[in-house]
Amino acid sequence: MLKVFVLFVMTQKSLFVSVFAPCSSPPSRVCTALLIASEAVTALNQRGVIQQSGATLELVASDVLDHYRTYSLLERLLHNPPKLAEQLAFQIEPQTRRLLIEKYYEFDDAVIRELLGKKLSSRHRKDLDEVSEKTCVLLKSCRRYGAVVFIACIKFETGKKKLQYLTFPDFYHCAQSIMASWTYVDKGVPEYDDKELDREFLLDLRELRILLEKEKEHKHLVCQKLKPQLLERSYQELDANFRSYTRALVGLACNLHRSRELRSLFLELVERCLEPWRQVSWSHTDLRNFLACYFQCALEMDVLREADLKSSWERYLTVVTSCLLRMYHT
């Protein structure tokens, strides 16, 4: 049945990569899986695969559904391809593994052609629905192309040597976070679309430099909360380097209104934040705990409330935290 599986992947990519898209309830999810599996079996039958294999229709249908279930477990590994090779739960031959990765990340010419020249605005979200319907590629896959369009429109720097370790799923994750929180769509402004950053918000971020004036208070709150969670060596390191960390995070916010600094966002995150943390061997858990505490302690300080900056801080650091955690490969 491996031959059937490989042919199925090669001929049914758009169905295969999107079968378990999130839906409203478990029953509808199961029904969707059964429906698409049925369509896949029909397609295989029309291509003569069932006749060639000598299997019964019922056996092929059962096998295809098993593959859909397997895929639902494999998809999270496909988000980070090296992990697919490291996993031990499934015995996958190297050529099959390469095929899965290739087909999962392959661009559909028909989808790209439909996106050319389209203005995917917040008022016309049905555009992606139309692209999906016209190309027979499910909506979940079409949305991935929307992130590519966004990165290209903003002209984010992605080609520098220090960024080569980042994968497309990493950039996709970051682009989705930015589109959700830093564009005009987040404020429900109908005249703008989700490729246009909220310039007023970026200008407001300059005022966050007021946090640097309260650096000692911020440091005290953060260190006090994190001390029980850190080893003594890690705590001493945080105590010694807090100033450089906060100046990197706040300094980045203050300069995002400039186009050049905005385009260099990913490079700045790597050079000013991630590299120093790698040098002191922070774990992913250390980073998550620090960013959560750093974020919350600032919200508890009077300075942000009095300056009416709590909303800007939340919008800014929520995205930066999401990006940093995704980009911090250990």
Side-chain angles (χ1 to χ4, degrees):
M1 281 301 170
L2 177 59
K3 181 179 179 182
V4 174
F5 176 52
V6 172
L7 285 171
F8 169 65
V9 174
M10 294 178 66
T11 57
Q12 296 294 313
K13 178 203 172 224
S14 61
L15 294 175
F16 186 77
V17 300
S18 305
V19 62
F20 281 108
C23 55
S24 57
S25 63
S28 63
R29 177 173 177 150
V30 171
C31 290
T32 299
L34 290 172
L35 176 61
I36 299 179
S38 176
E39 293 173 353
V41 172
T42 300
L44 290 171
N45 192 27
Q46 292 173 347
R47 288 169 172 75
V49 174
I50 294 177
Q51 184 177 4
Q52 294 170 19
S53 67
T56 65
L57 185 64
E58 291 76 13
L59 179 59
V60 172
S62 175
D63 192 60
V64 167
L65 193 56
D66 283 343
H67 286 312
Y68 273 120
R69 296 190 187 100
T70 300
Y71 173 76
S72 70
L73 301 174
L74 284 175
E75 186 176 18
R76 62 183 178 82
L77 299 174
L78 285 167
H79 292 169
N80 189 357
K83 290 190 178 298
L84 189 63
E86 297 169 3
Q87 63 84 29
L88 300 176
F90 302 97
Q91 295 182 0
I92 305 176
E93 295 180 352
Q95 64 268 30
T96 303
R97 185 169 62 244
R98 286 194 298 270
L99 177 63
L100 284 170
I101 295 170
E102 175 187 330
K103 291 301 176 183
Y104 188 80
Y105 288 104
E106 182 180 61
F107 283 119
D108 293 273
D109 291 342
V111 175
I112 294 296
R113 181 64 187 88
E114 288 299 314
L115 288 177
L116 289 177
K118 277 190 177 291
K119 184 177 177 65
L120 301 177
S121 70
S122 57
R123 292 172 296 168
H124 304 292
R125 291 298 178 90
K126 66 178 182 179
D127 285 352
L128 281 179
D129 293 324
E130 294 172 356
V131 170
S132 173
E133 183 178 349
K134 189 171 182 178
T135 61
C136 297
V137 174
L138 293 189
L139 185 59
K140 180 181 177 182
S141 294
C142 290
R143 283 178 178 150
R144 294 169 58 206
Y145 300 107
V148 176
V149 172
F150 176 73
I151 291 173
C153 284
I154 304 300
K155 299 181 181 178
F156 284 116
E157 174 59 66
T158 60
K160 294 293 185 181
K161 185 176 180 179
K162 289 185 177 181
L163 299 176
Q164 292 306 302
Y165 78 96
L166 295 172
T167 64
F168 171 70
D170 294 332
F171 285 119
Y172 169 73
H173 175 91
C174 295
Q176 289 289 93
S177 296
I178 295 170
M179 292 167 71
S181 297
W182 289 5
T183 65
Y184 284 103
V185 171
D186 184 53
K187 296 173 67 175
V189 180
E191 305 90 73
Y192 299 93
D193 62 42
D194 56 4
K195 298 190 302 299
E196 297 184 65
L197 291 173
D198 185 345
R199 289 292 168 180
E200 289 79 4
F201 161 67
L202 297 180
L203 288 171
D204 288 343
L205 291 181
R206 295 176 300 176
E207 304 305 318
L208 290 178
R209 64 170 53 92
I210 198 171
L211 270 175
L212 299 180
E213 299 174 10
K214 300 292 183 179
E215 179 187 310
K216 289 184 178 179
E217 179 186 353
H218 196 185
K219 174 183 175 180
H220 173 73
L221 290 173
V222 172
C223 290
Q224 187 179 45
K225 285 194 174 183
L226 281 180
K227 189 171 184 179
Q229 304 176 37
L230 299 175
L231 297 174
E232 182 62 25
R233 181 183 63 82
S234 299
Y235 176 78
Q236 294 296 334
E237 184 278 321
L238 174 61
D239 184 67
N241 295 309
F242 182 87
R243 169 172 289 190
S244 63
Y245 297 159
T246 192
R247 293 196 173 192
L249 290 166
V250 175
L252 181 62
C254 294
N255 292 319
L256 283 178
H257 65 285
R258 300 189 179 99
S259 297
R260 182 177 179 180
E261 278 73 12
L262 177 63
R263 290 195 297 269
S264 300
L265 173 63
F266 300 130
L267 186 62
E268 291 286 306
L269 289 175
V270 168
E271 291 183 338
R272 300 180 64 178
C273 300
L274 297 180
E275 287 184 346
W277 291 328
R278 286 196 191 103
Q279 289 173 4
V280 295
S281 302
W282 274 24
S283 68
H284 204 271
T285 300
D286 290 337
L287 178 57
R288 181 183 295 107
N289 290 340
F290 167 71
L291 290 172
C293 189
Y294 181 80
F295 169 74
Q296 187 59 42
C297 287
L299 289 178
E300 295 173 4
M301 295 166 61
D302 294 335
V303 64
L304 289 185
R305 185 180 66 254
E306 292 170 355
D308 196 24
L309 290 171
K310 291 183 69 173
S311 177
S312 295
W313 177 248
E314 289 175 341
R315 287 179 71 183
Y316 168 68
L317 206 65
T318 296
V319 170
V320 167
T321 295
S322 178
C323 292
L324 287 172
L325 291 175
R326 180 71 194 211
M327 295 167 64
Y328 194 56
H329 293 191
T330 57

